[in-house]
Amino acid sequence: MPPAQVPPAQVPPAQLPPDLPDFTGRDAETARLAAALTTRDGSAVPVVTVAGLGGIGKTALALHVAHAVRDAFPDGQLYAELHGAGPAPAPPAAVLAAFLRALGAPDREIPPEPDRRAALLRSHLAGRRVLVVLDDARDAAQVAPLLPGESGSAVLVTGRTRLAELPVAAHLDLAPFTPEAATALLGRVAGPERIAAEPDASLRLVQASGLLPLAVRIIASRLAARPRMRPAVLAGRLADERRRLGELRIGDEAVESCFALGYAQLGIEEARAFRLLALHDGPDLCVEAAAALLDLDVLDAEDLCESLVDSGLLECRAPARYAYHALLRLYARGLAETGDGPISCARALERLLEHYLAGIRGLFRQPIILYQIYCEPEVVEAHRVAVDALHTGRSFADAAAMVAWMRAEHANVMAAIRGYLGSGGSPGRLVGQLFVVPSLADRATVPAGLLPGGVLFAMGAGARLMGAADAAISLLSDALDALPGDDALISRAHAQLSIAYAESGMPEEARRHGLDGLALAAPVRDGNAEGLCWLGLGVASLYAGEPLRALRELETAREIYRTRGMPLREAWCLPRIVVAHLRLGRPAEAADVGTRAAALFGEIGDEHLGGRVLSLLAVALDELGRPEEAARAREAAETPWRRSGLLLDVPDQRLVENRTPVRPD
């Protein structure tokens, strides 16, 4: 029979829109979805779902996969755009009618009731191998009536949210492009030679896109439409965050319009949360920080965050930790600035800042008392009064919890401080709040630009004292990047890094930082910084197995502090000097220094250094054949500070255990 006379019922439907000719990347995702659709495992219909942010490329991937597997479905492919992200989702009854017509059912046989239409669709699909592609689904209720009843067919569904109620064979949360895939798409659309000719500008374009496929395609299309425009020119236009979303449009395609579809579906409380959470510019938000921004209790804030995750407008990167896609955050922040107003936004940022300041105060409120490192006794007491007046701060169970908080939140702390200052917050008020931070304690005035780096430096110094050298290196390295030309504080950061690298077994890095710090400290005549750098060099030499050199450097640091009238700082050097004498095989000298140091720390009430030096003194007394005195020293070393569980590690102990003494000459 000629094709024109074939009854419609015998013509397999082929409703797939065309595949993109320049589809790029997603090889692993394509292979996974194709395998899930074509693998027959029992009688269940393979239902495969793809979820992700608007503009992430769900439709493009679904169509690419559908075309790749179409030969496995010889009885046809059905396709429906369900408009789930829009204001008028496609009714399942209407989609059922369209599918039935495509499968050859005359209009007169299509019943009006949705349930009967769904049953008739299953009858038409029985015994056939048909691929059903349902694009942009709103929820499971919209999809369920459209599913086949037998395993010969398969279903591929896309949507902005995970359809948890559906019995799925496989699910994919689609991620943004890799930088390589984004750059490749730029080249395929705008011309590979053009993109390769300006690699730096092309990288800036990719970064401005947030690796969102829709944004990458719009950028590439704008370049393709303007063959004389250099990539660097467009990169410059996209550099301004306030203009970026407006630039990411061409014709009817716009990133902002794509986001607006999802935002329009939110309730009043969800919409407010979506806007205000975006004010934070850090990498992520814990649920407690979200509660502070929203001025809600933690449970209510978590419910709203999870609702936004369900709507595809927020990512949950770890339990109770949330983050925006970069472009989506710009969109939400713009809504907050125009819809909530500057006063509401500023108050939200103040609440967020207070949340992080409570953590900082909690760190330095603990018995570790870092104030003693940077301040004389009268300043220490002033700090304690200030802490009590401000707030007791967040409670931490032990040093591990403190270090974990610093690791997780240090970038967020910086962002909160900068966000507060950027919204017009008072630097003077913030300095008052941060009076408890040791790195800022001896400053009569503190420039606003110094605050984030100063806080990071103090956190890094605290992490090092708690034995978490890896966290200290990360925090102090970030502090170096954040300190705006303050040579004295930068030199102290180098010195702390010197000690942290030494304790991590990297003496060459340790010495480099010690020397870099010393080069900055000497010209500004900062005795605190200069002495700390010599102390860092001494520790580096200890860990490099050069105790004699270490002793000279440590005594240099001690003399700097002595001549400048800094007795507390002079005391820092004593535990390390004890270690140097023990490493040199001089237990008598070690015991002499250790005894005097223990008495000094007892007078000033420093349980941290007191406990450390008493432990070392016990080693020296054992080697001198004085076991009873050694036992008393060990017992005294178990101070309340050490019993509190705040101590993670005492690196000095490692230097004196199982050592081979070095000849002093």
Side-chain angles (χ1 to χ4, degrees), residues 256-569:
E256 194 165 9
S257 299
C258 181
F259 293 162
L261 287 174
Y263 177 69
Q265 308 305 315
L266 298 177
I268 294 175
E269 291 301 318
E270 287 84 359
R272 174 181 177 270
F274 174 71
R275 298 189 304 268
L276 292 185
L277 294 179
L279 295 174
H280 177 50
D281 205 28
D284 63 4
L285 272 170
C286 67
V287 68
E288 292 84 2
L293 270 170
L294 301 177
D295 200 17
L296 296 172
D297 65 43
V298 171
L299 291 179
D300 288 342
E302 186 172 24
D303 287 344
L304 287 172
C305 289
E306 290 298 324
S307 179
L308 292 174
V309 171
D310 292 341
S311 299
L313 295 173
L314 196 64
E315 300 174 47
C316 183
R317 294 183 175 174
R321 297 197 76 88
Y322 303 95
Y324 284 93
H325 182 275
L327 295 180
L328 192 59
R329 179 163 55 190
L330 288 181
Y331 171 71
R333 188 179 299 161
L335 293 174
E337 291 169 354
T338 57
D340 296 277
I343 294 177
S344 292
C345 291
R347 287 175 178 167
L349 287 171
E350 285 186 13
R351 294 192 299 268
L352 178 69
L353 179 66
E354 173 53 33
H355 163 76
Y356 288 119
L357 290 180
I360 292 171
R361 289 196 296 269
L363 292 176
F364 301 120
R365 186 74 173 83
Q366 300 295 331
I368 192 170
I369 304 298
L370 287 178
Y371 323 136
Q372 294 180 355
I373 294 177
Y374 292 95
C375 310
E376 301 303 332
E378 61 273 13
V379 182
V380 173
E381 182 57 31
H383 276 206
R384 297 185 188 208
V385 172
V387 175
D388 290 337
L390 288 170
H391 192 276
T392 56
R394 178 185 178 124
S395 295
F396 293 97
D398 52 28
M402 295 167 77
V403 171
W405 189 87
M406 287 190 279
R407 283 185 174 128
E409 304 295 359
H410 73 275
N412 291 317
V413 168
M414 289 187 69
I417 292 173
R418 287 173 172 158
Y420 169 77
L421 295 172
S423 69
S426 165
R429 178 183 173 191
L430 186 52
V431 169
Q433 291 279 311
L434 291 172
F435 184 55
V436 299
V437 175
S439 56
L440 308 176
D442 54 2
R443 302 299 179 103
T445 60
V446 181
L450 193 62
L451 293 171
V455 172
L456 277 177
F457 169 61
M459 292 168 68
R464 187 191 65 74
L465 281 178
M466 286 182 282
D470 60 331
I473 289 170
S474 174
L475 289 159
L476 291 165
S477 298
D478 287 348
L480 281 180
D481 294 336
L483 291 169
D486 189 290
D487 286 353
L489 196 50
I490 291 173
S491 67
R492 298 183 201 180
H494 277 298
Q496 291 283 358
L497 273 168
S498 178
I499 299 173
Y501 272 114
E503 293 174 348
S504 296
M506 292 182 273
E508 291 182 4
E509 280 292 304
R511 180 157 293 279
R512 179 177 68 81
H513 279 286
L515 293 173
D516 287 348
L518 198 58
L520 292 171
V524 298
R525 301 186 61 79
D526 187 315
N528 188 358
E530 192 174 357
L532 189 62
C533 289
W534 278 108
L535 177 62
L537 289 170
V539 175
S541 295
L542 278 178
Y543 279 84
E546 302 177 74
L548 189 59
R549 181 180 187 178
L551 188 60
R552 290 195 296 267
E553 291 163 337
L554 293 168
E555 290 289 2
T556 300
R558 184 182 181 185
E559 181 63 16
I560 288 171
Y561 289 140
R562 188 190 66 78
T563 57
R564 285 172 170 78
M566 301 177 178
L568 288 180
R569 295 164 175 81

Side-chain angles (χ1 to χ4, degrees), residues 142-192:
Q142 188 186 29
V143 170
L146 310 177
L147 301 181
E150 296 183 4
S151 63
S153 297
V155 183
L156 179 56
V157 187
T158 74
R160 299 197 180 193
T161 64
R162 179 189 284 260
L163 306 179
E165 299 91 340
L166 288 181
V168 301
H171 174 79
L172 173 67
D173 287 314
L174 194 56
F177 269 153
T178 63
E180 295 76 16
T183 304
L185 181 57
L186 282 180
R188 294 190 69 175
V189 177

